[in-house]
Amino acid sequence: MTGGFREQVWAIVSAIPHGKVLSYGDVAAILGRPRMARQVGWALAALSPDTLVPWQRVVLRTGEIAFRGDPVRGPEQRRRLESEGVAFDGDRIPKGYFS
DNA sequence: GCAGTGACTAGTA
DNA sequence: ATACTAGCCACTG
């Protein structure tokens, strides 16, 4: 019935309201698996480039963008969030944007 | 079936 | 404040 952990993650992420964000750990906690933050990120990494899932709304617990080694998706995530009205404080998103 | 991997997090120094 | 470590567990070959 679960059909795989990834699909559950995609469902939760798809339900994040416009202009709000969640941390990887938050998504994992919603699934009842608070220790699976890394797997949440991994599930998002498996998404197609043309996915409709709003993956940009999932960030680190600190409010920073998770990508470190990717020169493309990191800036792209920030651009997407800013276009949704999410204001950055330096490289971090203020806690008020977390649902 | 086993070992390696990783878009995390919390703890320690 | 930054840097490093350990634990976590689904997924891949």
Side-chain angles (χ1 to χ4, degrees):
Chain A
M1 122 58 200
T2 57
F5 181 77
R6 288 180 295 179
E7 294 183 0
Q8 294 285 333
V9 171
W10 299 336
I12 295 298
V13 173
S14 296
I16 302 175
H18 185 277
K20 291 285 189 176
V21 300
L22 284 178
S23 71
Y24 297 90
D26 288 339
V27 174
I30 291 170
L31 290 175
R33 310 259 189 218
R35 308 280 161 86
M36 287 173 53
R38 298 181 74 168
Q39 273 55 268
V40 171
W42 208 50
L44 298 182
L47 289 167
S48 301
D50 61 344
T51 183
L52 298 177
V53 178
W55 53 268
Q56 69 274 18
R57 294 177 192 153
V58 185
V59 297
L60 297 182
R61 198 71 182 80
T62 58
E64 294 171 292
I65 301 297
F67 291 101
R68 296 194 205 174
D70 195 312
V72 177
R73 293 213 246 183
E76 182 183 343
Q77 181 172 14
R78 177 167 181 154
R79 183 185 63 74
R80 288 194 185 203
L81 288 169
E82 289 178 326
S83 70
E84 292 185 356
V86 176
F88 280 69
D89 178 12
D91 288 333
R92 300 179 10 184
I93 297 170
K95 304 221 164 172
Y97 286 103
F98 284 78
S99 340

